[in-house]
Amino acid sequence: MRNTELTESALCVAVVERVSGLIDADLGGGVLKKRVATPGRGKSASARTLVATNRAGRWFFVFGFEKNERSNVTGGEVEALQRLAADLLRLSPGQLDEHVDRDALRENCHDNQSQGRKQHS
């Protein structure tokens, strides 16, 4: 997704939709898949985003791809993303702050706070 028109605001809208139950696929292990529209294209021809989540305030954008670049993720990729999800969802609020401070994680959706923590991606 190097040359995509997918914006941070589009990712934030996708999180709001996911919170409302609008997901395209639950891949298990805390990994959800959602189509996200890019300007000039509908959702079906746009980007696919995968997030790691506990569905209770933690939403991490972990992978994305344009539909015209590839059709889906492989089983091996799903397994790796599930392991990553488990690691991310285990982090304490203090550990999340440390990762953000070191630029290992980037914080988005600043006005979508949950349980006192900002959303991380």
Side-chain angles (χ1 to χ4, degrees), residues 61-79:
F61 171 75
V62 293
F63 188 69
F65 59 95
E66 293 281 347
K67 182 66 175 169
N68 64 355
E69 291 178 0
R70 61 187 298 172
S71 62
N72 212 341
V73 289
T74 67
E77 288 169 329
V78 170
E79 290 174 8

Side-chain angles (χ1 to χ4, degrees), residues 20 59 73:
S20 300
W59 300 85
V73 289

Side-chain angles (χ1 to χ4, degrees), residues 57-58 60 87-108 110 113-121:
R58 294 226 177 148
F60 297 90
D87 290 343
L88 289 169
L89 295 170
R90 260 194 297 273
L91 295 173
S92 70
Q95 290 170 316
L96 288 172
D97 286 338
E98 289 173 17
H99 282 48
V100 170
D101 291 344
R102 289 192 331 260
D103 290 328
L105 291 174
R106 190 175 73 206
E107 209 166 16
N108 295 333
H110 296 283
Q113 294 205 15
S114 175
Q115 301 174 7
R117 288 287 316 148
K118 293 180 182 177
Q119 305 301 310
H120 291 81
S121 68

Side-chain angles (χ1 to χ4, degrees), residues 29-83:
V31 178
L32 301 178
K33 181 176 160 184
K34 175 106 175 94
R35 293 177 291 182
V36 178
T38 52
R41 294 187 286 175
K43 286 184 180 182
S44 64
S46 290
R48 304 300 187 262
T49 61
L50 285 85
V51 296
T53 182
N54 62 2
R55 298 189 194 208
R58 294 226 177 148
W59 300 85
F60 297 90
F61 171 75
V62 293
F63 188 69
F65 59 95
E66 293 281 347
K67 182 66 175 169
N68 64 355
E69 291 178 0
R70 61 187 298 172
S71 62
N72 212 341
V73 289
T74 67
E77 288 169 329
V78 170
E79 290 174 8
L81 291 168
Q82 289 169 337
R83 288 190 299 275

